[in-house]
Amino acid sequence: MTSTNAQLFERAQRVIPGGVNSPVRAFRAVGGTPRFIARAQGPYIFDAEGTRYIDYIGSWGPMILGHGHPAVLEAVQKAALDGFSFGAPTEREIELAEEILKLVPSMDQVRLVSSGTEAAMSALRLARGATGRNKIVKFEGCYHGHADALLVKAGSGLATFGNPTSAGVPEDVVKHTVVLEYNHLGQLEEAFALHAADMACVMIEPICGNMNFVRASVPFMSRLRELCTQHGVLLVFDEVMTGFRVALGGAQSVYAKLIPGFAPDVSVFGKVIGGGMPLAAFGGRRAVMEQLAPLGPVYQAGTLSGNPVATACGLATLREIQKPGFFEALTASTRQLVEGFDAAAREAGVPMVTDSEGGMFGFFFASQLPQQYTQVLATDKARFNHFFHAMLDRGVYLAPALYEAGFVSAAHRPDDLAATIEAARQSLKLAL
Ligand SMILES: *Cc1c(COP(=O)(O)O)cnc(C)c1O
């Protein structure tokens, strides 16, 4: 008999390309049938067959409180009764902006948009508009959403520019994008030596969650900041994933503890700030942000930007995560999980390395933590896929690709973590 998930997948493929509205959901990297989710509660998601999974994706990060948190539900229900969308300003947008700025001192102003892609794309336009320069630098393995100029992989050398990673992106559109290896100081120096005068910004995922979990090293970040300051290049932190997730103040607060006086010039947020609703933001110092329309020449707009229901959801989420002890507890849970994975791997004699910060974690089947994308690609993919399916069979839902980070929520209780670690012990021991 065909399972309900398989039937739904077949039906979906008839009307939706690949059966999904975002590619990684299709399970193509790991094989098998995607689970169609019917509902979620706390740390669990339930598929169309009623099977329960402990959820370590959390909608790819937003569900930091777990699913269906009572305070968030109440805020959303109340907001919905007052109206879905007005296309006119609301007080709640000010409240959310104030809340974000209180937590991220590198920004004086923030603009709300509806997706991380939109926020990163707008930050890029702002950086170009504010500096009057065209070139941008990004790093291989970092994902900043699917705006044309950012869908780029490294070209043949630093003197040349990147190549589109998607059909439909003209080479002309990416000819200003320079792609460098993550954590590669020599390439960074060389790129600045060649292009600094034309560079508008360097965009980086400070702790990269789109190649599983790779941190920018402190010497690398510190030199990047120096070079940007020296040459008037804006340092753009894409914190769509790390913002309000690795710490209350995001990855920039983690680096500020390690590098005296550290701050990015522009920051991009998404995921957690919407608490599961379509909401994202970008912000920076007043002088830069005032370049935006209606004050300045950089155009940016959105019919649903600052949506009243989404802002209610985000605001309620941000208020919960500021409660005393929240991040300490989330950090401890996440550490407990990865330490459990470490111990299970040692016991099974499987080479595995893990890392975590706040409520975000990564694991690799390798003997050393990768520092850049090529090293991520060199980790054991077959073993990852095997582990993914063994865990799924045991009711643990991990990201279905080795390029993705994992997320723990405040709703994950000690028994959920223990059950996950036990599933990992069994899964790692299976013949691989
Ligand atoms: C998810 C993500 C984006 C894109 O956000 P969407 O809301 O999916 O458009 C951009 N940057 C980073 C670092 C992300 O993790």
Side-chain angles (χ1 to χ4, degrees), residues 70 72-82 309 312:
V72 179
L73 261 182
E74 194 194 323
V76 168
Q77 285 168 340
K78 226 169 135 253
L81 289 176
D82 288 335
V309 184

Side-chain angles (χ1 to χ4, degrees), residues 20 66 92 108 135 145 163 193 217 312 356 382:
V20 292
R92 204 173 295 126
D108 297 324
K135 289 191 173 74
N163 298 316
S217 77
S356 73

Side-chain angles (χ1 to χ4, degrees), residues 81-418:
L81 289 176
D82 288 335
F84 290 177
S85 186
F86 313 124
T90 62
E91 185 174 356
R92 204 173 295 126
E93 291 163 85
I94 314 171
E95 284 181 89
L96 180 58
E98 287 169 347
E99 206 72 32
I100 294 169
L101 296 177
K102 184 178 90 189
L103 298 174
V104 187
S106 70
M107 309 195 299
D108 297 324
Q109 290 195 318
V110 65
R111 178 155 284 176
L112 305 179
V113 296
S114 300
S115 75
T117 293
E118 199 188 345
M121 179 189 83
S122 304
L124 192 61
R125 185 179 307 138
L126 175 63
R128 284 171 159 165
T131 58
R133 301 171 179 179
N134 285 332
K135 289 191 173 74
I136 56 169
V137 172
K138 80 173 284 287
F139 298 93
E140 195 97 61
C142 290
Y143 177 66
H144 305 294
H146 61 88
D148 282 358
L150 293 165
L151 284 182
V152 192
K153 63 173 183 292
S156 52
L158 281 184
T160 67
F161 291 91
N163 298 316
T165 51
S166 165
V169 177
E171 300 212 341
D172 273 1
V173 172
V174 301
K175 72 179 182 201
H176 300 297
T177 308
V178 181
V179 185
L180 307 179
E181 249 178 59
Y182 202 72
N183 277 328
H184 194 311
L185 266 172
Q187 279 196 4
L188 187 70
E189 299 282 357
E190 205 184 329
F192 270 85
L194 282 170
H195 305 300
D198 303 323
M199 261 155 68
C201 69
V202 176
M203 190 177 275
I204 187 167
E205 272 189 84
I207 298 175
C208 184
N210 285 289
M211 44 178 162
N212 196 322
F213 189 107
V214 181
R215 296 168 189 267
S217 77
V218 171
F220 183 78
M221 190 59 87
S222 155
R223 185 63 184 143
L224 174 59
R225 180 63 276 182
E226 270 174 21
L227 285 167
C228 284
T229 303
Q230 190 183 332
H231 295 280
V233 176
L234 296 175
L235 176 56
V236 181
F237 257 34
D238 181 347
E239 296 229 44
V240 171
M241 194 178 282
T242 53
F244 313 102
R245 164 56 74 178
V246 298
L248 197 50
Q252 53 196 272
S253 72
V254 175
Y255 284 95
K257 280 194 192 132
L258 303 166
I259 306 168
F262 182 88
D265 298 304
V266 173
S267 301
V268 182
F269 295 97
K271 299 193 169 112
V272 170
I273 61 166
M277 288 277 188
L279 184 73
F282 62 102
R285 291 284 173 223
R286 190 173 305 276
V288 173
M289 293 306 285
E290 286 186 348
Q291 298 298 311
L292 281 176
L295 296 177
V298 179
Y299 191 70
Q300 190 280 328
T303 301
L304 298 177
S305 291
N307 175 272
V309 184
T311 47
C313 188
L315 201 52
T317 302
L318 292 192
R319 286 188 175 144
E320 288 301 314
I321 68 173
Q322 289 176 67
K323 291 195 169 160
F326 179 91
F327 264 93
E328 288 79 357
L330 183 66
T331 302
S333 295
T334 312
R335 282 241 58 86
Q336 190 189 331
L337 181 75
V338 295
E339 280 165 13
F341 278 15
D342 289 339
R346 273 195 307 274
E347 191 186 320
V350 171
M352 185 193 222
V353 281
T354 63
D355 197 0
S356 73
E357 187 72 41
M360 174 171 156
F361 68 92
F363 63 90
F364 295 96
F365 290 101
S367 48
Q368 259 189 330
L369 282 172
Q371 296 299 304
Q372 53 198 222
Y373 191 55
T374 44
Q375 294 170 1
V376 173
L377 292 179
T379 65
D380 194 335
K381 182 162 182 273
R383 197 165 240 162
F384 174 88
N385 291 353
H386 193 100
F387 180 68
F388 167 81
H389 278 293
M391 292 294 275
L392 193 66
D393 289 346
R394 287 163 181 76
V396 178
Y397 197 90
L398 296 168
L402 68 77
Y403 313 101
E404 311 290 349
F407 304 96
V408 174
S409 81
H412 288 77
R413 308 312 314 169
D415 51 335
D416 300 309
L417 300 171

